[in-house]
Amino acid sequence: MTSEPARPRAATIHDVARAAGVSRGTVSRVINGEPYVSPEARAAVESAILEVGYVPNTAARNLKTRRSGAIALIVHEPHSLFLEDPNIGTILLGTNAVLSQADYQLVTLIIDSTRDSDRVAEYLRGGFVDGVIIISARALDPIAQAVAAMGIPAAFVGRPPGIEGIAYVGIDNVAAARSITERLVATGRRRVGMIASALDRDSGRDRLAGFQEALGPLFDPELVVEFPLYSHSAGIEGMRQLLERAPDIDGVFASSDAIAAGALDTLRTAGKTVPDDLGVVGFDDSAWALRCQPALSTVHQPAAQLGEAAAQLVLDQIGRVDIPTEGRLLDTSVVWRLSA
């Protein structure tokens, strides 16, 4: 019977000090980024770390500083939609860019059920992250309520109703939806419907409000169909329902680009031409918009900048920088292409 080979001994701070010819205290100050170390000593320590293969004990350092060096990005969406929605990925990349510059690690947590909410809340209470960014939060969202109760540095992308005390960054969904609907109506459309989604969130509710404002007396509640998620399948089914309710419909505002892409698929199957028979507009200016045939008229939402701003809000709280209590809204713009 052969015994397992002994694991090589991990290099210690003593080994670094011996190789550099300095004290343990000097090595500790260099590792922790503290001042009062001469350039010569710092260079010697850094060279010795490479020479002996020393790896800092992050767990011990975190215990001392009471920081984890990690920020959680909580995405409240089904797993399938997390992969389907390019907006989420762009927000994630924007968040990571800012955190990386600040030497923070991004931890992504997906909530798809009540059990997920309970599990994630317990994880956050364990002190494994220093702050939290939440996207796709719903009204009275249990995980958002748990974060608010913990008092951990946090920020929303968007602003869910019914939850106070957490900083947020978002866009003016009412004004953006109103602008693109007005542009659609200006092309001569008079029977305009909407495939609305996510009405339990500020984004979905506000986009419906902006649509209704833009139409004024042309608004017909029978030409609004509702779905829980911003999904391609919602667009397929929503467009089918609208065609059944109003065969003379000549315009559609889809509350996301993924929904608009699904609507275009249904119209193609039904033998309808876009934009001749119907004008279709979306929201997000995501990768979906350019995949569509014809290319989709939509609202440009600055997804990467939303992630960047939310990350900075959390870092400012960790650094005890005062942040505005009213939140921050970023600009949007209408991007007009061939679908309308």
Side-chain angles (χ1 to χ4, degrees), residues 110-140:
I110 303 173
I111 292 181
D112 193 9
S113 65
T114 300
R115 180 178 180 278
D116 285 343
S117 289
D118 295 340
R119 174 181 55 79
V120 169
E122 192 63 27
Y123 174 81
L124 298 178
R125 291 189 188 98
F128 296 105
V129 298
D130 299 327
V132 177
I133 298 165
I134 306 175
I135 65 177
S136 303
R138 275 72 164 162
L140 304 177

Side-chain angles (χ1 to χ4, degrees), residues 20-86:
V22 299
S23 69
R24 285 182 57 208
T26 298
V27 175
S28 178
R29 286 193 291 275
V30 171
I31 290 172
N32 291 314
E34 297 175 9
Y36 311 119
V37 179
S38 70
E40 295 79 9
R42 188 177 301 277
V45 170
E46 291 172 347
S47 177
I49 287 173
L50 294 175
E51 178 186 336
V52 304
Y54 174 72
V55 178
N57 187 331
T58 303
R61 185 170 61 188
N62 291 347
L63 187 63
K64 180 180 178 181
T65 63
R66 296 187 180 180
R67 291 207 178 155
S68 68
I71 303 294
L73 176 69
I74 298 177
V75 182
H76 196 158
E77 296 285 9
H79 298 88
S80 58
L81 195 61
F82 178 86
L83 297 174
E84 176 184 302
D85 189 340

Side-chain angles (χ1 to χ4, degrees), residues 150-161:
M150 289 177 210
I152 187 172
F156 286 121
V157 175
R159 190 184 188 189

Side-chain angles (χ1 to χ4, degrees), residues 86 257 285-292:
D257 290 349
D285 197 24
S286 66
W288 280 107
L290 294 178
R291 287 189 211 134
C292 290

Side-chain angles (χ1 to χ4, degrees), residues 18 34 81 131 137 145 150 162 168 176 189 243 257 261 281 311 324:
R18 189 180 306 112
E34 297 175 9
L81 195 61
Q145 290 178 320
M150 289 177 210
Y168 71 92
R189 318 291 173 172
L243 288 173
D257 290 349
V281 297

Side-chain angles (χ1 to χ4, degrees), residues 190-254:
R190 289 297 176 266
R191 291 283 284 161
V192 181
M194 178 178 180
I195 306 174
S197 284
L199 298 183
D200 56 349
R201 308 180 215 173
D202 63 311
S203 59
R205 185 191 62 243
D206 288 351
R207 289 173 200 180
L208 176 57
F211 171 77
Q212 185 170 354
E213 284 183 15
L215 286 182
L218 293 177
F219 176 73
D220 182 350
E222 285 299 307
L223 296 186
V224 176
V225 292
E226 301 174 9
F227 292 86
L229 300 172
Y230 294 121
S231 65
H232 182 263
S233 59
I236 292 173
E237 175 59 21
M239 193 67 248
R240 187 191 64 78
Q241 291 183 23
L242 286 175
L243 288 173
E244 284 185 354
R245 294 184 187 185
D248 61 338
I249 190 170
D250 60 6
V252 174
F253 170 40

